[in-house]
Amino acid sequence: MESVEQKKSQVFIVVEIIEYVPNSVVIKTIIKKTTGNVSAVSFDSGEALTEKTSPFDTFIQVIDGKAEIVIDGKTNVLETGQSIIIPAHMCNTIKANVRFKMISTIIKSGYEEIV
């Protein structure tokens, strides 16, 4: 399935560009570049992403509902309007005890400067 970016130079409301789908996690690419990407994601209640580790920091902002973000075994519950940065190289998972929507931003550039 090909990822299609959001149309540029057009106003949109992020929470409205992605729908809830029963028993699903839905990802809509807003912008994707080699240096990083921004996605809108919706989780139906009871859904989760498999535990993973990313080589990059990931900025998460909840835009509807309430999310459970587990980073290196520590649980964080975020409500609408709250954000967290998942540090690079940390085990993490994202769970939906109730349905929610979020924006996920990954910046891939700048890591080459870290010594």
Side-chain angles (χ1 to χ4, degrees):
M1 181 164 82
E2 184 179 328
S3 178
V4 178
E5 288 185 8
Q6 184 69 25
K7 291 182 181 178
K8 296 178 183 174
S9 299
Q10 289 188 354
V11 175
F12 62 95
I13 298 171
V14 177
V15 75
E16 294 178 358
I17 65 168
I18 191 160
E19 299 297 324
Y20 290 110
V21 175
N23 306 309
S24 299
V25 174
V26 179
I27 302 171
K28 168 132 176 99
T29 301
I30 296 173
I31 188 165
K32 184 176 181 95
K33 301 292 179 197
T34 56
T35 54
N37 59 63
V38 178
S39 302
V41 187
S42 70
F43 288 72
D44 194 23
S45 180
E47 296 299 315
L49 294 181
T50 306
E51 185 176 74
K52 66 176 184 167
T53 302
S54 170
F56 310 108
D57 290 340
T58 303
F59 173 76
I60 301 294
Q61 180 181 20
V62 175
I63 57 174
D64 185 48
K66 188 186 302 185
E68 180 181 338
I69 314 288
V70 181
I71 302 170
D72 202 27
K74 182 180 180 226
T75 298
N76 303 275
V77 177
L78 281 69
E79 296 184 13
T80 301
Q82 293 183 310
S83 304
I84 195 165
I85 298 171
I86 300 172
H89 310 292
M90 294 282 254
C91 287
N92 66 85
T93 189
I94 301 174
K95 301 177 184 179
N97 298 317
V98 297
R99 68 185 196 169
F100 76 93
K101 294 179 183 179
M102 69 179 200
I103 298 171
S104 172
T105 304
I106 300 171
I107 305 298
K108 296 178 181 177
S109 63
Y111 288 87
E112 60 278 354
E113 298 169 9
I114 299 173
V115 181

